[in-house]
Amino acid sequence: MTENIEKISKIIPFFSILILFSSIIRNFIFYQYFGININEYIGLSEFTLLFINDLAFYLISVLSFLIYLPFIYIKDYFRKKYGEEILRFTNTKKIAKTVMVLAVINSILIFIIDFPLDIQLYFLQTFIIAFFASLLLWLDKSIEFSKKYSLIFISSLLIIFPILKAFTDINNIKNEKPYNEIIFNYNNKQIQSNRSFLFLGKTNEYLFLYNKSTKYTEVFKMSEISNLKIKKI
């Protein structure tokens, strides 16, 4: 048991680095589309917090892995204790088959139903995780097989879905559907975001608004901004 805990604890730093890496890629893709090299506007201390905006994605991915692993260990324990010939887990395979079918059907339905793109992405991620976990149960391989491919799968999710989220956010901005509205004073003038002047995001030192009419991104220094108000739409 102690050995297993040590193995899991070694995975945590790996996940941390992977999450940081995927967050950097996600932010780079998003801001680069609007003509901003985000690396020029962000401090080193902020890099470790880039994942905050996509926290739900990372929690779903990592928690699904942490929830699934104990089941693998419990399954392996009972097989070693009572014998593989006795415990074939036939009911588990039936349940896994059902979940796999439902996951595929639901993945198709979310693109038919008119959900917002970011909500579709959340659902798709959940269904893909459910499908993969059920596939491992249905294959009913050894614990090493499950551990190996679970790690590869979750690692892939941690890279792929934040990148997809970047393109989803870009699409929302292009379709005049930002996540937040913003009002602030700058050089004795009140500036407010709207359908043609869209709030992209901010760092500790800069704030970015995209002018859809001119196709330019305007950069404001936070040190020169006052009475900043942000409202989630």
Side-chain angles (χ1 to χ4, degrees):
M1 184 66 178
T2 304
E3 184 181 347
N4 290 334
I5 293 174
E6 288 179 359
K7 287 181 180 179
I8 293 173
S9 65
K10 289 178 181 178
I11 296 173
I12 294 175
F14 168 75
F15 274 147
S16 301
I17 294 171
L18 197 61
I19 287 172
L20 177 60
F21 177 70
S22 64
S23 298
I24 292 171
I25 295 176
R26 175 251 189 278
N27 280 273
F28 178 81
I29 291 172
F30 175 74
Y31 284 105
Q32 190 67 35
Y33 180 86
F34 298 102
I36 301 170
N37 182 356
I38 193 62
N39 296 326
E40 296 177 1
Y41 296 96
I42 195 168
L44 288 175
S45 60
E46 295 179 75
F47 274 104
T48 54
L49 298 175
L50 286 177
F51 72 95
I52 292 296
N53 290 334
D54 301 310
L55 187 59
F57 280 97
Y58 298 122
L59 285 177
I60 291 172
S61 299
V62 174
L63 285 178
S64 64
F65 180 72
L66 295 178
I67 290 170
Y68 183 64
L69 266 187
F71 178 83
I72 297 174
Y73 282 110
I74 291 170
K75 184 177 176 182
D76 187 61
Y77 168 79
F78 280 109
R79 278 192 160 170
K80 287 178 179 177
K81 186 172 183 178
Y82 298 106
E84 187 171 341
E85 293 301 318
I86 297 174
L87 292 178
R88 291 185 176 275
F89 294 96
T90 52
N91 289 331
T92 302
K93 285 191 173 185
K94 290 177 183 177
I95 293 171
K97 271 186 181 179
T98 303
V99 173
M100 287 167 63
V101 172
L102 290 175
V104 172
I105 293 172
N106 287 327
S107 297
I108 296 170
L109 285 177
I110 61 171
F111 290 105
I112 297 174
I113 301 172
D114 189 24
F115 285 119
L117 278 176
D118 51 327
I119 300 299
Q120 287 181 339
L121 202 54
Y122 278 111
F123 279 132
L124 182 62
Q125 181 190 25
T126 304
F127 296 143
I128 287 177
I129 290 171
F131 178 87
F132 179 77
S134 302
L135 179 63
L136 286 180
L137 294 179
W138 181 66
L139 292 173
D140 201 26
K141 298 290 184 178
S142 67
I143 186 171
E144 294 304 321
F145 176 91
S146 295
K147 285 192 296 184
K148 177 183 176 182
Y149 286 98
S150 292
L151 184 59
I152 292 173
F153 176 74
I154 299 302
S155 299
S156 301
L157 274 186
L158 291 177
I159 295 292
I160 294 170
F161 275 92
I163 292 173
L164 291 177
K165 182 64 165 56
F167 288 107
T168 298
D169 292 346
I170 289 170
N171 188 73
N172 285 339
I173 295 295
K174 288 169 62 179
N175 291 317
E176 302 173 0
K177 296 177 181 178
Y179 296 111
N180 299 286
E181 288 180 350
I182 190 166
I183 302 175
F184 60 89
N185 292 331
Y186 193 81
N187 291 335
N188 298 319
K189 180 182 177 182
Q190 187 180 75
I191 295 175
Q192 181 174 356
S193 62
N194 52 50
R195 286 190 173 273
S196 60
F197 202 38
L198 300 146
F199 175 58
L200 297 182
K202 69 182 188 68
T203 64
N204 286 340
E205 297 183 6
Y206 297 95
L207 184 147
F208 310 102
L209 287 172
Y210 177 65
N211 192 322
K212 194 173 179 182
S213 300
T214 63
K215 307 296 182 184
Y216 281 99
T217 298
E218 298 188 27
V219 182
F220 300 87
K221 286 187 176 182
M222 290 296 295
S223 59
E224 298 176 15
I225 288 175
S226 61
N227 298 324
L228 176 62
K229 297 176 183 178
I230 300 176
K231 182 177 75 173
K232 189 172 182 64
I233 301 175

